[in-house]
Amino acid sequence: MLLGLIPSSPVQTGSLDYNSSAASEISLLHPLHLSSMDINYTTKGGTLEISCRLFTDDMEDALKKQFNVPADLSAPAKHEAMNSLLKKYIAMHLKFQANGKPVILNYLGFEKDREAVIVYVESAPIKSLKKLEVYNTLMYDLFDDQTNIMHVVVNGKRKSDKLDYPETKAVIFE
């Protein structure tokens, strides 16, 4: 399920099928501005494996606004161009510090999942993660009611936090 709120399989409520075109039109008007991020620290490689889940229509609007170009994350013919834009957008709006030092992030790519786009990022190796700070302004350039939720797993220990606009920094592990 997208962000725990949008069904990942067909759902019937009354006469509305969430896979119908009417549902697609309704999803374009969704009032919820939310992103969800999973961050896993792998002790084996010492990297942060990051996946960000965002509403596709919001991400396309953010790319259009940021880069002043048409954005279509669903078109296979535009996948390479969208990858380039997403890489730049993520670099501008998502930063990490581990143990007080900036973390180098490597953009891996994205995929569509119904109403969501999932962006994948991995960090350069981090030795012995003790403190993790996340600077997250995803969609802040678009919405003043944006909420960014982060779930972090380090050494099997899970912690979650959220940033509500205009908050930009979360200290997850200390």
Side-chain angles (χ1 to χ4, degrees), residues 39-60:
I39 305 163
N40 294 303
Y41 177 69
T42 62
T43 52
K44 190 175 186 177
T47 61
L48 296 171
E49 295 175 345
I50 304 155
S51 63
C52 305
R53 201 176 256 279
L54 306 115
F55 286 104
T56 302
D57 59 327
D58 292 345
M59 189 72 254
E60 289 173 342

mmCIF file of all heavy atoms in Angstrom, residues 39-60:
data_model
loop_
_atom_site.group_PDB
_atom_site.id
_atom_site.type_symbol
_atom_site.label_atom_id
_atom_site.label_comp_id
_atom_site.label_asym_id
_atom_site.label_seq_id
_atom_site.Cartn_x
_atom_site.Cartn_y
_atom_site.Cartn_z
ATOM 1 N N ILE A 39 14.779 3.724 5.490
ATOM 2 C CA ILE A 39 16.233 3.840 5.523
ATOM 3 C C ILE A 39 16.762 2.648 6.306
ATOM 4 O O ILE A 39 16.423 2.482 7.476
ATOM 5 C CB ILE A 39 16.673 5.153 6.209
ATOM 6 C CG1 ILE A 39 16.013 6.358 5.530
ATOM 7 C CG2 ILE A 39 18.191 5.278 6.212
ATOM 8 C CD1 ILE A 39 16.054 7.632 6.365
ATOM 9 N N ASN A 40 17.554 1.815 5.658
ATOM 10 C CA ASN A 40 18.126 0.638 6.315
ATOM 11 C C ASN A 40 19.639 0.727 6.294
ATOM 12 O O ASN A 40 20.231 0.890 5.230
ATOM 13 C CB ASN A 40 17.685 -0.651 5.615
ATOM 14 C CG ASN A 40 16.202 -0.890 5.761
ATOM 15 O OD1 ASN A 40 15.690 -0.953 6.870
ATOM 16 N ND2 ASN A 40 15.514 -0.992 4.648
ATOM 17 N N TYR A 41 20.234 0.624 7.468
ATOM 18 C CA TYR A 41 21.695 0.605 7.563
ATOM 19 C C TYR A 41 22.137 -0.840 7.531
ATOM 20 O O TYR A 41 21.750 -1.649 8.383
ATOM 21 C CB TYR A 41 22.167 1.281 8.846
ATOM 22 C CG TYR A 41 23.667 1.233 9.034
ATOM 23 C CD1 TYR A 41 24.512 1.968 8.208
ATOM 24 C CD2 TYR A 41 24.233 0.460 10.040
ATOM 25 C CE1 TYR A 41 25.888 1.936 8.376
ATOM 26 C CE2 TYR A 41 25.609 0.420 10.220
ATOM 27 C CZ TYR A 41 26.429 1.153 9.391
ATOM 28 O OH TYR A 41 27.799 1.122 9.550
ATOM 29 N N THR A 42 22.921 -1.186 6.535
ATOM 30 C CA THR A 42 23.402 -2.560 6.409
ATOM 31 C C THR A 42 24.800 -2.645 7.023
ATOM 32 O O THR A 42 25.729 -1.984 6.562
ATOM 33 C CB THR A 42 23.466 -3.002 4.939
ATOM 34 O OG1 THR A 42 24.383 -2.168 4.240
ATOM 35 C CG2 THR A 42 22.107 -2.908 4.266
ATOM 36 N N THR A 43 24.931 -3.427 8.073
ATOM 37 C CA THR A 43 26.229 -3.565 8.725
ATOM 38 C C THR A 43 27.209 -4.301 7.822
ATOM 39 O O THR A 43 28.412 -4.080 7.902
ATOM 40 C CB THR A 43 26.096 -4.301 10.072
ATOM 41 O OG1 THR A 43 25.386 -5.521 9.862
ATOM 42 C CG2 THR A 43 25.364 -3.453 11.083
ATOM 43 N N LYS A 44 26.690 -5.155 6.945
ATOM 44 C CA LYS A 44 27.551 -5.921 6.042
ATOM 45 C C LYS A 44 28.351 -4.987 5.119
ATOM 46 O O LYS A 44 29.557 -5.099 5.005
ATOM 47 C CB LYS A 44 26.693 -6.880 5.219
ATOM 48 C CG LYS A 44 27.481 -7.888 4.426
ATOM 49 C CD LYS A 44 26.536 -8.866 3.744
ATOM 50 C CE LYS A 44 27.304 -9.974 3.064
ATOM 51 N NZ LYS A 44 26.413 -10.964 2.469
ATOM 52 N N GLY A 45 27.665 -4.042 4.482
ATOM 53 C CA GLY A 45 28.349 -3.116 3.575
ATOM 54 C C GLY A 45 28.570 -1.747 4.192
ATOM 55 O O GLY A 45 29.268 -0.912 3.634
ATOM 56 N N GLY A 46 27.930 -1.502 5.338
ATOM 57 C CA GLY A 46 28.062 -0.216 5.998
ATOM 58 C C GLY A 46 27.394 0.917 5.241
ATOM 59 O O GLY A 46 27.802 2.066 5.353
ATOM 60 N N THR A 47 26.335 0.604 4.466
ATOM 61 C CA THR A 47 25.671 1.637 3.683
ATOM 62 C C THR A 47 24.237 1.861 4.176
ATOM 63 O O THR A 47 23.654 0.998 4.831
ATOM 64 C CB THR A 47 25.611 1.259 2.192
ATOM 65 O OG1 THR A 47 24.860 0.055 2.049
ATOM 66 C CG2 THR A 47 26.998 1.096 1.602
ATOM 67 N N LEU A 48 23.704 3.006 3.822
ATOM 68 C CA LEU A 48 22.294 3.290 4.024
ATOM 69 C C LEU A 48 21.586 2.957 2.712
ATOM 70 O O LEU A 48 21.970 3.460 1.651
ATOM 71 C CB LEU A 48 22.066 4.764 4.350
ATOM 72 C CG LEU A 48 22.657 5.288 5.643
ATOM 73 C CD1 LEU A 48 22.525 6.812 5.704
ATOM 74 C CD2 LEU A 48 21.989 4.645 6.844
ATOM 75 N N GLU A 49 20.592 2.092 2.778
ATOM 76 C CA GLU A 49 19.757 1.789 1.617
ATOM 77 C C GLU A 49 18.461 2.556 1.820
ATOM 78 O O GLU A 49 17.752 2.344 2.808
ATOM 79 C CB GLU A 49 19.495 0.293 1.522
ATOM 80 C CG GLU A 49 20.745 -0.508 1.264
ATOM 81 C CD GLU A 49 20.515 -2.010 1.280
ATOM 82 O OE1 GLU A 49 19.446 -2.470 1.769
ATOM 83 O OE2 GLU A 49 21.402 -2.735 0.817
ATOM 84 N N ILE A 50 18.146 3.448 0.895
ATOM 85 C CA ILE A 50 17.050 4.389 1.071
ATOM 86 C C ILE A 50 16.043 4.228 -0.054
ATOM 87 O O ILE A 50 16.415 4.188 -1.232
ATOM 88 C CB ILE A 50 17.593 5.840 1.069
ATOM 89 C CG1 ILE A 50 18.664 5.985 2.154
ATOM 90 C CG2 ILE A 50 16.478 6.850 1.249
ATOM 91 C CD1 ILE A 50 19.660 7.086 1.882
ATOM 92 N N SER A 51 14.779 4.142 0.319
ATOM 93 C CA SER A 51 13.713 4.176 -0.682
ATOM 94 C C SER A 51 12.696 5.228 -0.244
ATOM 95 O O SER A 51 12.260 5.231 0.911
ATOM 96 C CB SER A 51 13.049 2.809 -0.862
ATOM 97 O OG SER A 51 12.429 2.388 0.320
ATOM 98 N N CYS A 52 12.368 6.113 -1.167
ATOM 99 C CA CYS A 52 11.412 7.199 -0.920
ATOM 100 C C CYS A 52 10.178 6.944 -1.757
ATOM 101 O O CYS A 52 10.281 6.743 -2.965
ATOM 102 C CB CYS A 52 11.988 8.550 -1.336
ATOM 103 S SG CYS A 52 13.549 8.968 -0.605
ATOM 104 N N ARG A 53 9.030 6.977 -1.122
ATOM 105 C CA ARG A 53 7.757 6.745 -1.800
ATOM 106 C C ARG A 53 6.977 8.053 -1.782
ATOM 107 O O ARG A 53 6.714 8.605 -0.717
ATOM 108 C CB ARG A 53 7.000 5.657 -1.032
ATOM 109 C CG ARG A 53 5.951 4.959 -1.783
ATOM 110 C CD ARG A 53 5.369 3.843 -0.909
ATOM 111 N NE ARG A 53 5.819 2.533 -1.266
ATOM 112 C CZ ARG A 53 5.311 1.827 -2.266
ATOM 113 N NH1 ARG A 53 4.356 2.326 -3.003
ATOM 114 N NH2 ARG A 53 5.759 0.638 -2.541
ATOM 115 N N LEU A 54 6.637 8.524 -3.001
ATOM 116 C CA LEU A 54 5.920 9.793 -3.145
ATOM 117 C C LEU A 54 4.777 9.622 -4.132
ATOM 118 O O LEU A 54 4.842 8.769 -5.015
ATOM 119 C CB LEU A 54 6.873 10.876 -3.677
ATOM 120 C CG LEU A 54 8.156 11.067 -2.882
ATOM 121 C CD1 LEU A 54 9.358 10.693 -3.698
ATOM 122 C CD2 LEU A 54 8.266 12.483 -2.391
ATOM 123 N N PHE A 55 3.749 10.452 -4.006
ATOM 124 C CA PHE A 55 2.678 10.427 -4.980
ATOM 125 C C PHE A 55 3.237 10.872 -6.335
ATOM 126 O O PHE A 55 3.929 11.883 -6.427
ATOM 127 C CB PHE A 55 1.526 11.349 -4.570
ATOM 128 C CG PHE A 55 0.696 10.807 -3.441
ATOM 129 C CD1 PHE A 55 0.822 11.313 -2.165
ATOM 130 C CD2 PHE A 55 -0.224 9.793 -3.675
ATOM 131 C CE1 PHE A 55 0.046 10.820 -1.125
ATOM 132 C CE2 PHE A 55 -1.001 9.291 -2.643
ATOM 133 C CZ PHE A 55 -0.868 9.802 -1.358
ATOM 134 N N THR A 56 2.942 10.109 -7.369
ATOM 135 C CA THR A 56 3.479 10.382 -8.705
ATOM 136 C C THR A 56 3.091 11.770 -9.204
ATOM 137 O O THR A 56 3.935 12.512 -9.708
ATOM 138 C CB THR A 56 3.011 9.315 -9.711
ATOM 139 O OG1 THR A 56 3.435 8.034 -9.241
ATOM 140 C CG2 THR A 56 3.578 9.564 -11.093
ATOM 141 N N ASP A 57 1.815 12.134 -9.067
ATOM 142 C CA ASP A 57 1.381 13.432 -9.586
ATOM 143 C C ASP A 57 2.095 14.580 -8.878
ATOM 144 O O ASP A 57 2.486 15.568 -9.509
ATOM 145 C CB ASP A 57 -0.144 13.587 -9.520
ATOM 146 C CG ASP A 57 -0.712 13.473 -8.119
ATOM 147 O OD1 ASP A 57 -0.162 12.703 -7.301
ATOM 148 O OD2 ASP A 57 -1.720 14.142 -7.835
ATOM 149 N N ASP A 58 2.328 14.440 -7.576
ATOM 150 C CA ASP A 58 3.054 15.476 -6.835
ATOM 151 C C ASP A 58 4.508 15.560 -7.300
ATOM 152 O O ASP A 58 5.051 16.649 -7.480
ATOM 153 C CB ASP A 58 3.023 15.192 -5.333
ATOM 154 C CG ASP A 58 1.635 15.342 -4.727
ATOM 155 O OD1 ASP A 58 0.753 15.926 -5.388
ATOM 156 O OD2 ASP A 58 1.439 14.872 -3.591
ATOM 157 N N MET A 59 5.128 14.400 -7.493
ATOM 158 C CA MET A 59 6.526 14.391 -7.920
ATOM 159 C C MET A 59 6.665 15.013 -9.307
ATOM 160 O O MET A 59 7.594 15.787 -9.559
ATOM 161 C CB MET A 59 7.067 12.954 -7.909
ATOM 162 C CG MET A 59 8.564 12.836 -8.119
ATOM 163 S SD MET A 59 9.519 13.377 -6.698
ATOM 164 C CE MET A 59 10.136 14.935 -7.284
ATOM 165 N N GLU A 60 5.746 14.698 -10.196
ATOM 166 C CA GLU A 60 5.777 15.308 -11.529
ATOM 167 C C GLU A 60 5.620 16.828 -11.443
ATOM 168 O O GLU A 60 6.337 17.569 -12.121
ATOM 169 C CB GLU A 60 4.684 14.707 -12.413
ATOM 170 C CG GLU A 60 4.985 13.280 -12.823
ATOM 171 C CD GLU A 60 3.844 12.601 -13.562
ATOM 172 O OE1 GLU A 60 2.685 13.075 -13.482
ATOM 173 O OE2 GLU A 60 4.111 11.578 -14.222
#
